[in-house]
Amino acid sequence: MTDSPNSSANNKSQVPLIISAIIIALLIQGYFFIPEMRQGVNEAWNVLTSEDDKKIKQWVNGFGWLGPIVIIVTMVVQTFLLVVPTVALIVVAILAYGPWWGSLLALVAVLTASSVGYVVGKYLGRIFVDKMIGEKTEKKITAFIKDYGFWSVFLVRFNSLLSNDAISFVGGIVKMKFGKFITATAAGISPLIILIALFSQSMEDLKSGLIWVSVLSLAAFGFYLWWDKTR
């Protein structure tokens, strides 16, 4: 008895999930059974969430010329694990390398992570992404992107209160043109990076600034949605 085409397609669609599950299982086992790995992960978590300027600079500078690569790789990894917020890694880059080079590094890291997320969504598909972010979330973002295209991605990137990661996966799933997707990402994240660079010397000012900008941008977009629906 031969397998039906649907059964064959189902088997193929499960392959990415199986590979991902194996990788995640290996990482979890490594954390619990390899002391060096556990120590490294714990140290990175403590530093990245410490909000201590000196500690962050020392940690990043300890990697030498690999520091920028570590930040970019961490940005890509957090896209999948959602452990450290994108904003926190932008702050780390700016604190470690200054407002100019740090901002450039943060932009490159975000664009790289967004591109990886887009490719994963486009080529691994809906089943893989649904397992990561949930089917309901994926459907809501899909509808959001289909309705507002460029501006949906722009708003999510610009607003620090919204998840930056799910939009990349779903952008790939709906096969949004990559040029439009990456341009919207750059246009949305750049003002946020500039804002962080301006206020990075004062964490309290930075937090309040990000909250105000996020709330105002959400309010403005909410007004646009209302106007668009009643037009």
Side-chain angles (χ1 to χ4, degrees), residues 49-119:
T49 57
S50 68
E51 297 185 359
D52 184 327
D53 298 10
K54 291 182 180 179
K55 185 185 287 188
I56 290 171
K57 287 180 182 178
Q58 288 175 353
W59 183 75
V60 176
N61 290 336
F63 291 102
W65 65 271
L66 286 172
I69 297 175
V70 169
I71 289 176
I72 292 172
V73 170
T74 305
M75 187 73 81
V76 173
V77 170
Q78 72 82 33
T79 300
F80 295 90
L81 302 182
L82 309 177
V83 174
V84 181
T86 299
V87 171
L89 290 174
I90 294 173
V91 172
V92 167
I94 291 172
L95 288 177
Y97 294 101
W100 292 104
W101 289 110
S103 296
L104 179 60
L105 174 59
L107 178 61
V108 170
V110 170
L111 294 181
T112 302
S114 301
S115 299
V116 171
Y118 176 92
V119 169

Side-chain angles (χ1 to χ4, degrees), residues 145 148-155 176 179-181 183-185 187-188:
I145 292 177
Y148 299 102
F150 178 96
W151 295 108
S152 63
V153 178
F154 175 90
L155 175 73
M176 182 180 188
K180 179 190 283 189
F181 167 80
T183 301
T185 295

Side-chain angles (χ1 to χ4, degrees), residues 14 22 24 34 38 40 70 75 84 86 96 118 125-126 145 147 151 159 168 176 180 182-183 187-188 209 211:
Q14 294 298 322
I22 291 172
I24 292 171
I34 303 175
R38 182 168 61 249
V70 169
M75 187 73 81
V84 181
T86 299
Y118 176 92
R126 182 168 274 108
I145 292 177
D147 285 343
W151 295 108
N159 196 303
S168 299
M176 182 180 188
K180 179 190 283 189
I182 208 67
T183 301
I211 290 172

